[in-house]
Amino acid sequence: MKHIEQKPVVLYQYENDQDRLFFESQFSRDFTIVFTESEDDFLQQLKINLDICCVFLDKNDLQSVLSSVIFGSLGMQVLNCPVFLVGHDIRIETIAQLLKAGSISKCYGKPYDANLIRSDVFAAKMNLKPLSPTVSAERFEASKMSSLSARSMPKIPSVLIVDDEGLATKYLAKQLTQLNRDVPILLAENATEAMVKLDASGRDIAVVISDQRMPGIKGNQLLNEIHKSFPHVIRILTSAYQEVDVALGAINEGRIFRYLKKPWDAVEINELILEALKEHQRLCTDLVNSQNTLTEDHDAVLERRIAKLRSAFSEDIKRVTGSDTLEKFITFLRSMDPGRVQAANLRANKETDIETKLISEFSKRIQSWLQELSDLGTVGVSERQRLAIGIVKQIQYPSDDFNKTNKEMNKSDAAFQAIINQSVAALDVLLMGSNLSRSALNILPPKSNASYKVKEALDRSEVPSLKMYKHFLSPLSNVSKTLIDSQAALLFLFILEEVLGSLIEIRSSNGEFQITLRSDSVVAKVD
Amino acid sequence: MSLSNQIKLYVTVDKLMYREAILYQLLLRNDIELVGESQTGVETLSEIAVSKANVLIIDEDLRDNDGLTISEIALGQHPSLSILLLVDHPINQQRLSIYLESGIKSVVSKTQTIKDLINALYYIKSGQIYIDGEQFREGVTEASLNQSRFKELSTREQEVARLIAKRASMKDIAEQLGVSNKTIHTYKERIFVKMGFERLPELMLFMQRYMSQNRT
């Protein structure tokens, strides 16, 4: 956990003293700024200073920037952090060339938004991994068995061109196909059509080239949306006009790959497409590799967590229930939808005490109950019935007062009531997690009652299932009170299930679950 | 995808009064459209798609599930949703990086000002992450900033500010100072711009908080 709260260290290269003074006045309170003027110093700092989280280039004009050592082979070798351009006189040609030369993460025109620059620097310092892109549910189910790479790589990577000038675009498409028969070219006349095609094609569209000026949603907005929803699609913006702000926005927000000036040249575009496809391939491979690593790493985290769980509670619980209740709990949780593993989960695991906290918080909750339950001693059939009846009654008639004063209740009655209260509380917690009311509980007469068998099957399907969005075996980034409450409640009910036998059932199906209570006090279905 | 720069906002906060307090501030702005509100995460998940929200403000502390979990699920279904997480206490950079890596675009603490919340909202609507670097700075607070700005006002401006904060009408102030109505309106505008206030309650609150010691 090194240097977490230290000021971010930024490398700032400038040409003008005035610029340097201004930058210093704006940001010296927030960052540790390393100032360099010469290319040599700049390179030197990049090599030796490992704390640098980002680089600022504040140069007079395009030529200076392009000739910066950053874009040379030497620079590329040592550069491993974002480059922010602080621009004076940024023109469209500059932007297009800059993108070609190397990757600029952000481009700030003057006057700069200090808040935004601060935000981007802190984000750079945090070195955030991008979220794994979403895979739609059906596709996930279908491809669970197949390899991860097959799922992510497009079958035949294609290019989508979005432009409202139908004729010109069709002509371009024809030329491109002649130059390269292997790359399918798709067309869309506006942003809406483009999104429809992207949704339909899934992973096949690898590159999108969009014109800025279209009726309705503009090119930069479309590319921004694509960046959010389909982050691995390579985005290229084109325009016939000199809209610098639009282009800057497209770089900063849409993270475009290239900016293309109209009129189009088919040969140039073809080469660009080839480059873009290469980049797409690289991104996809990275994605597959990192997701595989994430999954592997998390599997290890999970195994350790389960081991800790077992060593902390297995014996204690066995003593109360007489059987391997914890294993039932673990098996049940494995049948619940775990959720995706994200980089954040691994970060939390490495950099915080989340695993220890998980066990200790859980422990606090469980230990007091185990005491209560073990005091009950071995429970005979009639006692079990009484308990079940008590729980169902309290659920059905919440307004009745079940807690008589201490004087009226003897010690064992009080202990008994405490368990009933605890059980009802546990059920309520699980219901709350799905935002459901007590009507989501199946309350039925005991199984032996034959005439209710058919009715039961019908009743069960009408009752909504409970969900668990996060559970003990999910990828976790933090330990919330609601998580501990719900998992402790669930374990308590598993223990109760052991004690009451078939009078309480917790069953899972399709990643959701239902709770059934059986009691002699039930004569008909409860609404 | 939004055609305009309109923020289509969904707000999920458990406590009604708190939720309303935020909403009354946010709804004053022309470019914010409230498309839904909820107390629980589960309800939010079922409504968010239909509401067509592009920004979600969600409290970490909800009764049914924690805000982070709900956010992760929501993002799984709607990756282009910009989410702002409201937390009870300021968090350190390490925790913040975990939240941001989970897909949250900004984290605002209830110990910050409503203005900070609104500010963050505007930055994240395009899908960018926003980190308020000023929180990590040592020393400078909103209070001292405003106080020094007030000291930079002219004596006249300060006087007018005090009177306005006492709910004196423009007419009365003009009479009291012996100038025209128009002049007072000009003063008022200047004061608000220099102090960075948008509405009268902000000036009144400032006066109450910081000037009671310095009242002449």
Side-chain angles (χ1 to χ4, degrees), chain A residues 1 4-6 26 29-30 106 113 115-116 118-120 122-123 125-129 131 134 191-192 195 216-217 221-222 224-225 228-229 252-253 340 342-345 347-348 351-352 432-435 469-470 475 477-478 480 482, chain B residues 1-5 40 42-43 45 60 62-66 68-70 72-73 75-77 79-82 92-103 105 119 123 125-134 136-138 140:
Chain A
M1 292 215 288
I4 312 155
E5 304 299 316
Q6 268 189 5
Q26 290 276 298
R29 276 182 303 180
D30 303 299
K106 300 274 172 155
D113 181 346
N115 283 334
L116 198 53
R118 255 191 296 272
S119 173
D120 289 336
F122 275 97
K125 183 186 173 215
M126 289 175 185
N127 196 16
L128 306 164
K129 305 276 178 300
L131 267 186
T134 330
T192 321
M195 289 306 281
I217 292 165
Q221 287 171 292
L222 170 63
N224 199 13
E225 185 61 34
K228 290 187 267 180
S229 308
N252 293 342
E253 293 166 23
R340 280 178 304 160
Q342 291 290 355
N345 307 127
R347 186 189 277 242
E351 296 178 11
T352 68
M432 173 55 93
S434 297
N435 204 25
Y469 293 104
K470 286 272 176 185
S477 296
N478 69 345
S480 68
T482 45
Chain B
M1 270 190 296
S2 48
L3 189 55
S4 63
N5 270 324
T40 67
V42 176
E43 189 178 48
L45 290 177
E60 188 177 29
L62 300 171
R63 267 178 292 155
D64 58 312
N65 288 280
D66 69 284
L68 179 62
T69 300
I70 298 296
E72 288 179 50
I73 312 274
L75 284 171
Q77 298 161 358
S80 59
L81 183 63
S82 290
N92 61 25
Q93 287 178 39
Q94 192 185 58
R95 278 229 68 74
L96 180 58
S97 62
I98 291 171
Y99 286 149
L100 295 176
E101 215 166 48
S102 304
K105 294 292 192 289
N119 208 24
Y123 279 117
K125 70 176 180 196
S126 64
Q128 284 188 295
I129 279 177
Y130 181 66
I131 299 168
D132 185 353
E134 283 190 10
F136 300 123
R137 213 187 263 176
E138 287 140 16
V140 182

Side-chain angles (χ1 to χ4, degrees), chain A residues 90-229:
Chain A
I90 304 179
R91 294 170 333 142
I92 285 291
E93 295 79 23
T94 314
I95 290 172
Q97 279 179 281
L98 277 175
L99 289 174
K100 252 201 206 156
S103 84
I104 300 277
S105 300
K106 300 274 172 155
C107 211
Y108 307 110
K110 286 209 172 131
Y112 11 97
D113 181 346
N115 283 334
L116 198 53
I117 293 184
R118 255 191 296 272
S119 173
D120 289 336
V121 169
F122 275 97
K125 183 186 173 215
M126 289 175 185
N127 196 16
L128 306 164
K129 305 276 178 300
L131 267 186
S132 334
T134 330
V135 180
S136 75
E138 321 88 60
R139 226 172 274 141
F140 181 71
E141 283 309 311
S143 61
K144 242 193 225 177
M145 291 303 122
S146 66
S147 74
L148 202 59
S149 54
R151 178 153 51 96
S152 314
M153 303 288 234
K155 295 180 231 102
I156 303 171
S158 48
V159 176
L160 173 66
I161 302 182
V162 189
D163 195 317
D164 62 335
E165 284 176 50
L167 284 172
T169 320
K170 281 204 187 92
Y171 183 60
L172 175 68
K174 227 167 142 201
Q175 289 179 294
L176 289 171
T177 312
Q178 278 175 351
L179 287 166
N180 190 341
R181 231 181 294 265
D182 297 325
V183 181
I185 308 281
L186 303 172
L187 300 176
E189 288 199 0
N190 53 55
T192 321
E193 216 187 301
M195 289 306 281
V196 167
K197 292 226 156 106
L198 277 162
D199 278 327
S201 84
R203 299 213 170 273
D204 291 338
I205 296 182
V207 182
V208 173
I209 302 176
S210 177
D211 191 34
Q212 172 61 18
R213 295 217 183 160
M214 301 184 288
I217 292 165
K218 302 288 167 264
N220 62 342
Q221 287 171 292
L222 170 63
L223 292 181
N224 199 13
E225 185 61 34
I226 294 176
H227 174 47
K228 290 187 267 180
S229 308

